[in-house]
Amino acid sequence: MGELIAEVLRWFADGTRWSGPEGVVQRLFEHLQYSLLSTVVAVLIALPIGLLIGHTGKGAFFAINLASFGRALPTVGVVILVFLVSGLNLWPVYVALVVLAIPVIVTNTYAGMAAVDHDVRDAARGTGLNGWQVLFQIELPLAVPLIMNGVRLAVVQVVATATIAAYISFGGFGRYVFDGFAQNDLAQVFGGAVLIAVLAIALDLALSGLQRALTPRGLALQRRRSNR
Amino acid sequence: MISFEAVNKKFADGTTAVRELDMEIPEGQLTVLVGSSGCGKTTTLRMINRMIDATSGKVRVDGRDVRDVNASTLRRNIGYVIQQSGLFPHRTIGDNIATVPRLLGWDRKRVRDRVVELLDTVGLARDLAGKYPHQLSGGQQQRVGVARALAADPPILLMDEPFGAVDPVVRTLLQDELLRLQDELHKTIVFVTHDIDEAVKLGDRIAIFKTGGHLVQFSTPAELLTHPADDFVADFLGAERGLKLLSLTSLADVPIEPVTTVTESTSVAEARRAGDGWILAVTDNGRPRGWVHVDHLPADGVLADAEPIVAAGLTANASLLAALDATVSSPVGLAVRVDEDGCVAGVSSPQQINERAARFRAEVLVP
């Protein structure tokens, strides 16, 4: 065990590891590209669905159960399925990651909308806000913390799963994992795994900052007080 | 004016909330809809601003069928206050109050001035404008709810159990404030409650609903208390109908008898010379403190050292019921009267109060 850790450290210490077309920095950009693009597309699809279900109250059952469905869906299966149609390009990776990210964002967005106080929504309508105004001025701001929870969960899952890009010969940190296995180089496998974990944690921290920035001040104060 | 013509409301689950309702709610008055839960009073209220649409029949506001008006437009012209105030937790008090003016596109300065004006109107400090709802007490939140409803000066105000969630002391205070506001503003207010005492206290007219959505009686509080339409109404009004009637008229016409008062800073020795039984202690600026018996005075010192039986002062606006209550809890059987400044003006006896009650009875108990 100690031997392995030492080897992994040596792996990281190797200066040539970091630069060049196969270096860590290049792989980082690839991994970020797969992860962030997939998450952005997933948010663009999932957010409106979650908001719609939350606002109308129709399809709640669907929204609640989508998350379990998402967990049950084998990502590798999706990759292969899309690969059969699209051939060798990045489409299988993007489709699989987007499909992975959508359920958790839909479910959390719905949960955020469902948690908006009935009286608040009633008062908003009764005061004369129309449907869109209720959605964008009242429900969405109040649902922001839970929506962002969903996005954070999705990003962590997507970053971890973007490893599969290497499975069909593309880049990202998954390269180290798959190549390491192929070359029976355990240090490389672990090195790749550590990089993926660190990236996931870093993105989660960054998003928690964004979550704080997007949460309306009154809501943040209220939560802080009720947590005391 | 708001009118209901043969209005029915059936919900999808088959329950009938409102049945064949015909009612005309008079302009500029406070109409209370009262009844136990499930009687359709809230549904009736919510049909006015189209939060619920009637299954059949017509609801008209100023002669126009509400269904011919865009719901949001309609609601911006009708103030709406609900039980838990329904304030937007992510918006400041000022922004909450500014909701409708902003929807109506008022310019910034006009909105800001209006917010300040409304905080004054509902008796809240101006610096609360920058606070958030959770930083306010329940009673303050409810005041903000009222201010928000009044923001664009709508002629109609709908209030759905607005004081149901605050403690009794605050509730009484808010009720008094509402009456004071209504004295100035003369809005057409529709007020839902399940509390008959609240209904009697606030209502110019009271509509009593029965489970299943029947309007059983719609009349003035006095008419209701003296001539309940049936046993249901009589039961709902409760056992002390006669006493409730006394809450409808004030002390204004009851004569005031002079009373000897002794200020608190008076020495005990001097206070003893003021009378030989109960004396009325007042503060140095003339407000009532309470009754003190000369035999119970401390050996020396001033009157303030004695522990009086507290007597609250009644203004001319106080009800006969409050006055009767005061005579019962006073050791001398007298109600202490005060002027507008709260200074002792004299006392009234139970006989005088009863005489007024008898005259009031004669006025309202027309056979």
Side-chain angles (χ1 to χ4, degrees), chain B residues 8-62:
Chain B
N8 284 283
K9 178 62 195 179
K10 248 191 173 153
F11 285 111
D13 63 2
T15 53
T16 301
V18 175
R19 198 184 301 264
E20 285 300 309
L21 176 65
D22 288 300
M23 182 166 65
E24 292 206 344
I25 292 173
E27 208 167 295
Q29 295 199 3
L30 201 161
T31 298
V32 181
L33 314 182
V34 69
S36 44
S37 55
C39 68
K41 56 190 190 296
T42 293
T43 306
T44 302
L45 178 95
R46 288 165 70 91
M47 285 192 293
I48 298 171
N49 66 349
R50 292 198 57 194
M51 294 296 279
I52 295 176
D53 275 329
T55 312
S56 68
K58 283 207 187 325
V59 181
R60 291 180 198 276
V61 172
D62 289 329

